[in-house]
Amino acid sequence: MARSRRQRVSCHGRRVSQQSTRSISIAMSQTDYANGQTNNENQKAEESEESEDDELPILPRQFIPDSELSPQYWFLLKVVKYIKFGSPTATLLALCGLSRYDLSLPMCQQALENSEAVDVLINVLEADDHKCKVAALRVLQNMVKIQHFQRLLVMKSGIATVVKLLSEAEPDVRCLAAGTLAHAVNNHRSRMLTRKAGAVPLLVDLLDIQNAPVVVTTDEFNLKAATKQKIQAATAAAKALRSLSYSASARRDMYLAGGIPLLTRLTLSVGGVQREYPQATSSSLTHHRAPSVASTTTGQRPSVNVKSRLTGRRAMAASVCSDSELDFELLTAVNGVIHQCAADEIFRASVKADTLLGQLLRHMRYDCETLQTLCASTIAHFAEDETNRRVLTQLKATETLVWVLKQGEYQLQMASTYTIPRSRPEDEQPLELQVQIDRPTSHVEEKLVEKPQVNISLLKAVSTAVWKLSLSPEARDRFRQLGIVRIFIRHLNQSTEEVLLPIVSSISVIGTDPESLALLRTERAVPRFVWLLSGNHPGLLSAAALTMANLTADVDALELLETIDAARLLWSLLKHPSPVVQAGAASAIAAFSERSKRAGEVARSLVGGLELLVSLLRAPELEVVTAAAAAVARMATEDETLAVLSDHHVVTLLASLVRHKNRDLKLRVAEAIAECCRWPGNPAQLGQGGGVKPLIGYLRSSHLDLRRAAAKALHQVSSDRENCFILHHHGAVMLLLKLVGCGDVEIQSAAAGCLSNIRNFIHNA
């Protein structure tokens, strides 16, 4: 009877596998979201937000010929046969035996594939025997860790079967089902099928551990069985949600299912691993330690008890774990979900930023680089908003981020100086041992420990958080006080562009004060930035160009840049197709032109350089046009360069930009007009292009710098007779009279000069 039932179920499994392609194509249609989006729009949005390496590559599998098959292969075939045709007791025993095998071996994988073990396990999960379900889930959870079996589970329509088990009454079944999904949901297709099967609300329900019979503690041995199962189920659910959260649609389903309050609650009620930190004498931040759960929930201040790490072998191996590994695993999984959801603005707006960010900063104190990476990445997402940046600054996020960077440097320094002697030199052995040695003494060199490597992921996450947070002036000043520029200089030798981008960008924003600029010069970082200009990454090129613009404020650094001819590289970047690179290069050229005496000579020596700069005034990007106008205003201060710019009709292009509404662009255009109209004939071209009348409106601006630039521009423009009539006709005289009485000397002089020209031309007419 059992044999016939197994045969029917197995046939049903094969039928499903043959129609899996059609089922997957039907499930690809997207459901409408709460805002009424269409199916095609949702599908495009989800596909666009998937990661580039989302689809798992098909790895080559090792095929073993029949002549080389071991007895283990044939035994596994028998085990699967017992599962398929045996009684429930035999099935349970066979599953227990199968769970003991190392499924990573090619021999075992080939046996399981040839025996259709995935079909058999799916059929067992559809049965009513609880013990067989648990045993089958344990085996399947180990199998789906292998990429090939992940694909087989999708093709055999096993995702829906596993999702149904999330609604079972038994906690162990729900926990194992969630753990299976955590390993199986690793590509777009499996995430889509899991979400369509309704797994997100069921997984969110498993995150609610507040109804446990006892309070969650950090001691695993004192946990009762029911509470422990709830924590295990929540951990497995958090891991599954972390895999699902790569999909934008799954994140929306999680938000609608009420998962955000549960995730925030778990960060407040669960502790993690607390280990000893090495004590660095150069930083006072090492006196902080990871808080316990009791201090988190009660609001009491955690005790401070830090032991210095010894340099010996015993201290290098010591690692005190005082908190629950189970709680720490849940904490890592929950932070992984929060890290994915923090990319959405709706998530950042629906949580209490001060509460969540405070917990993230506390979690960064744990001695776990994975957890620190997740928390730093989440903080980087929150730091994109100005309000959150103020909150992070008040929570002293600057100190925490710098502390993590210093801890990593200290640990690398300790590991690099620690050595393991292969044998003790005989000349250093005790005297009683030296007497017994008959062979000549020979010195045996010590074997050094392999040079440690920097954690690239952690460095990238922390530097990105520093970059986003440094947009706040308060945080920027605090970073300078903590010496973060010196720390980032040591990491400029990284070869990965994704890591260099936040580091160089942070230096370009923070390193603008004289002390930081002098530090960049004395630490020999200037040639490194010049070398970065020869790369291809747009963001890195722009950040390096802005850093060089800051370096021109330092006299010695400017001389070094002129010596290595860095200005020519900046001019070559104007031909880059990226607007970001063009804007950064133009800003750096403007800084060079303002402070360097050889800037005009270098620009004129480049064939077509000034023509290329003038052509950027036609760019559609606002940042590029603003930077190009600023560069033109600085370059036009030299008469020889101004003559070349006038030959390329720069004034006509500036006249077309006067009516723009952006304040920064209006300021740069007014400055450029003030310099370019010194050349004979240019004021008339500006009047013919209709650029005089809009300049009069600049005099009504509430910004002093814009009024100053407009007054200087009108002073030069009024040298043409027709322009004076335009100024008089449109009421510029009264505005200029008011500016004559202001407190700025430059505005007074320019306004008076403009009035003098108008009076002379009007009376002579």
Side-chain angles (χ1 to χ4, degrees):
M1 187 69 178
R3 180 184 181 90
S4 62
R5 181 178 63 82
R6 292 293 181 184
Q7 289 177 349
R8 289 196 301 269
V9 175
S10 179
C11 292
H12 174 70
R14 287 193 293 271
R15 181 178 62 83
V16 172
S17 64
Q18 292 174 0
Q19 298 180 356
S20 59
T21 305
R22 184 171 62 89
S23 302
I24 293 173
S25 62
I26 295 175
M28 285 294 291
S29 61
Q30 302 291 327
T31 57
D32 293 339
Y33 186 49
N35 56 4
Q37 293 178 342
T38 60
N39 295 340
N40 293 333
E41 290 177 352
N42 273 336
Q43 184 175 357
K44 291 180 180 179
E46 182 174 354
E47 291 176 354
S48 62
E49 295 192 19
E50 294 287 342
S51 58
E52 296 180 358
D53 55 346
D54 185 56
E55 291 295 336
L56 293 176
I58 301 177
L59 301 178
R61 299 183 66 251
Q62 180 181 358
F63 178 77
I64 303 176
D66 295 341
S67 59
E68 299 180 4
L69 294 176
S70 63
Q72 185 182 15
Y73 172 84
W74 304 105
F75 184 76
L76 282 176
L77 293 180
K78 291 182 179 180
V79 171
V80 177
K81 184 178 180 181
Y82 292 149
I83 299 174
K84 186 184 300 184
F85 300 109
S87 62
T89 303
T91 300
L92 180 59
L93 293 176
L95 289 171
C96 294
L98 184 60
S99 62
R100 294 179 176 270
Y101 280 87
D102 186 8
L103 302 182
S104 62
L105 299 176
M107 187 77 66
C108 297
Q109 297 179 18
Q110 185 170 341
L112 294 176
E113 182 181 2
N114 295 339
S115 61
E116 299 182 353
V118 176
D119 282 316
V120 175
L121 292 175
I122 293 175
N123 294 334
V124 173
L125 294 179
E126 295 176 350
D128 297 332
D129 193 291
H130 171 67
K131 295 182 179 180
C132 292
K133 282 184 181 180
V134 174
L137 282 173
R138 293 185 185 278
V139 176
L140 187 61
Q141 185 175 358
N142 294 329
M143 289 179 61
V144 295
K145 295 178 181 179
I146 304 170
Q147 181 194 69
H148 181 68
F149 292 111
Q150 294 175 9
R151 296 183 179 274
L152 284 179
L153 184 64
V154 174
M155 298 302 296
K156 303 295 183 180
S157 300
I159 295 291
T161 303
V162 178
V163 172
K164 290 180 181 179
L165 299 178
L166 293 174
S167 58
E168 292 286 334
E170 293 79 7
D172 50 354
V173 175
R174 297 197 303 267
C175 180
L176 291 173
T180 303
L181 290 177
H183 295 292
V185 184
N186 285 326
N187 54 76
H188 172 67
R189 179 179 297 179
S190 59
R191 292 190 192 111
M192 182 265 300
L193 292 175
T194 305
R195 186 179 60 84
K196 290 292 184 180
V200 176
L202 298 175
L203 292 172
V204 170
D205 291 339
L206 294 178
L207 295 178
D208 190 4
I209 60 175
Q210 294 298 319
N211 297 324
V214 294
V215 180
V216 179
T217 63
T218 59
D219 190 0
E220 182 178 357
F221 300 99
N222 295 331
L223 291 174
K224 293 185 179 180
T227 306
K228 185 176 180 180
Q229 285 183 348
K230 285 182 176 290
I231 297 178
Q232 290 176 346
T235 303
K239 291 180 179 179
L241 288 175
R242 180 181 180 181
S243 301
L244 285 171
S245 60
Y246 285 95
S247 171
S249 299
R251 294 197 296 268
R252 287 193 292 267
D253 293 344
M254 193 187 311
Y255 172 77
L256 295 176
I260 296 179
L262 293 177
L263 292 172
T264 308
R265 187 189 304 171
L266 287 175
T267 60
L268 298 173
S269 59
V270 181
V273 170
Q274 177 178 309
R275 292 187 174 91
E276 295 180 357
Y277 291 142
Q279 184 177 1
T281 57
S282 61
S283 175
S284 61
L285 297 175
T286 55
H287 292 284
H288 295 271
R289 65 178 298 182
S292 62
V293 176
S295 62
T296 305
T297 56
T298 59
Q300 297 178 359
R301 185 175 181 180
S303 59
V304 178
N305 184 12
V306 177
K307 299 179 181 179
S308 60
R309 179 175 295 180
L310 301 178
T311 59
R313 187 181 307 176
R314 180 183 302 175
M316 290 296 297
S319 180
V320 179
C321 177
S322 61
D323 293 338
S324 172
E325 295 285 352
L326 185 63
D327 289 349
F328 176 69
E329 187 178 3
L330 175 59
L331 184 64
T332 305
V334 168
N335 279 276
V337 182
I338 295 176
H339 164 244
Q340 295 295 333
C341 295
D344 298 336
E345 185 178 358
I346 188 174
F347 175 83
R348 299 196 297 266
S350 58
V351 299
K352 297 182 64 176
D354 52 351
T355 303
L356 180 60
L357 293 176
Q359 287 302 117
L360 293 176
L361 293 174
R362 294 169 69 90
H363 295 165
M364 291 189 69
R365 299 290 182 175
Y366 292 115
D367 190 13
C368 177
E369 294 181 348
T370 303
L371 185 59
Q372 291 174 346
T373 303
L374 294 174
C375 295
S377 301
T378 306
I379 291 173
H381 287 306
F382 274 91
E384 295 178 358
D385 302 330
E386 183 179 358
T387 304
N388 293 332
R389 287 197 291 267
R390 290 196 296 266
V391 173
L392 287 169
T393 305
Q394 294 175 0
L395 295 175
K396 297 184 178 181
T398 54
E399 285 80 356
T400 302
L401 293 173
V402 174
W403 177 82
V404 173
L405 291 173
K406 290 184 177 181
Q407 284 297 112
E409 288 188 346
Y410 181 78
Q411 292 176 2
L412 287 176
Q413 181 181 2
M414 291 292 298
S416 60
T417 57
Y418 176 66
T419 59
I420 301 178
R422 295 178 55 186
S423 62
R424 190 173 185 178
E426 295 175 358
D427 54 352
E428 297 181 3
Q429 291 181 353
L431 180 61
E432 58 273 11
L433 295 180
Q434 293 185 15
V435 175
Q436 299 176 2
I437 297 178
D438 298 331
R439 52 187 172 84
T441 60
S442 61
H443 180 73
V444 181
E445 296 182 356
E446 295 182 351
K447 181 181 179 181
L448 296 177
V449 177
E450 184 180 357
K451 186 178 180 180
Q453 301 295 330
V454 179
N455 190 329
I456 300 298
S457 301
L458 179 59
L459 179 60
K460 177 183 176 182
V462 175
S463 57
T464 304
V466 172
W467 175 24
K468 300 295 180 62
L469 188 57
S470 61
L471 299 178
S472 173
E474 295 80 5
R476 187 160 56 245
D477 296 338
R478 186 55 182 160
F479 278 132
R480 291 169 184 165
Q481 297 175 4
L482 296 173
I484 199 171
V485 176
R486 184 182 297 275
I487 298 176
F488 279 152
I489 290 175
R490 302 191 188 104
H491 294 288
L492 286 176
N493 58 351
Q494 297 292 330
S495 59
T496 308
E497 293 180 345
E498 287 74 12
V499 181
L500 283 174
L501 174 60
I503 293 177
V504 178
S505 300
S506 301
I507 294 177
S508 66
V509 177
I510 301 174
T512 57
D513 59 307
E515 292 77 8
S516 300
L517 296 177
L519 184 62
L520 292 173
R521 173 176 48 82
T522 55
E523 294 292 337
R524 301 179 181 179
V526 178
R528 178 63 177 175
F529 289 108
V530 177
W531 179 84
L532 290 176
L533 294 178
S534 59
N536 296 320
H537 194 281
L540 191 57
L541 289 174
S542 176
L546 293 177
T547 305
M548 293 181 61
N550 298 332
L551 287 171
T552 57
D554 187 82
V555 179
D556 297 333
L558 180 59
E559 294 179 357
L560 179 59
L561 291 174
E562 292 177 346
T563 303
I564 58 183
D565 205 3
R568 294 182 181 272
L569 288 175
L570 293 174
W571 281 96
S572 65
L573 293 180
L574 295 179
K575 299 183 294 183
H576 198 277
S578 175
V580 178
V581 179
Q582 293 175 355
S587 300
I589 290 174
F592 264 93
S593 303
E594 183 179 3
R595 301 184 177 99
S596 176
K597 298 179 180 179
R598 298 180 58 251
E601 179 183 352
V602 173
R604 293 188 297 272
S605 64
L606 298 174
V607 179
L610 293 175
E611 181 181 2
L612 180 60
L613 179 61
V614 173
S615 66
L616 292 181
L617 295 175
R618 302 187 183 95
E621 293 81 10
L622 178 63
E623 294 79 7
V624 178
V625 178
T626 304
V632 169
R634 303 297 184 271
M635 297 293 298
T637 55
E638 294 186 4
D639 294 340
E640 297 180 3
T641 307
L642 178 57
V644 179
L645 292 174
S646 301
D647 293 340
H648 295 297
H649 306 286
V650 64
V651 178
T652 304
L653 295 176
L654 292 174
S656 63
L657 299 174
V658 176
R659 298 182 182 275
H660 207 281
K661 296 181 180 180
N662 184 266
R663 192 192 71 85
D664 194 14
L665 178 58
K666 291 194 295 184
L667 174 62
R668 303 306 176 188
V669 169
E671 292 176 351
I673 291 175
E675 296 295 338
C676 293
C677 286
R678 295 186 300 105
W679 192 258
N682 285 346
Q685 291 184 11
L686 184 68
Q688 296 172 3
V692 178
K693 181 180 177 180
L695 282 175
I696 301 175
Y698 290 8
L699 300 177
R700 299 185 179 93
S701 175
S702 59
H703 299 280
L704 181 62
D705 53 353
L706 183 56
R707 295 200 304 269
R708 183 187 300 111
K712 292 181 179 179
L714 292 177
H715 182 205
Q716 300 297 331
V717 167
S718 61
S719 61
D720 182 74
R721 180 178 180 179
E722 297 296 331
N723 293 338
C724 289
F725 284 105
I726 296 175
L727 293 174
H728 186 272
H729 179 70
H730 291 89
V733 176
M734 297 303 298
L735 296 175
L736 292 172
L737 288 174
K738 293 180 180 180
L739 294 180
V740 171
C742 72
D744 191 275
V745 178
E746 295 183 1
I747 296 179
Q748 291 177 358
S749 176
C754 184
L755 289 173
S756 176
N757 293 335
I758 294 175
R759 181 178 180 277
N760 292 333
F761 282 114
I762 294 297
H763 281 283
N764 293 333

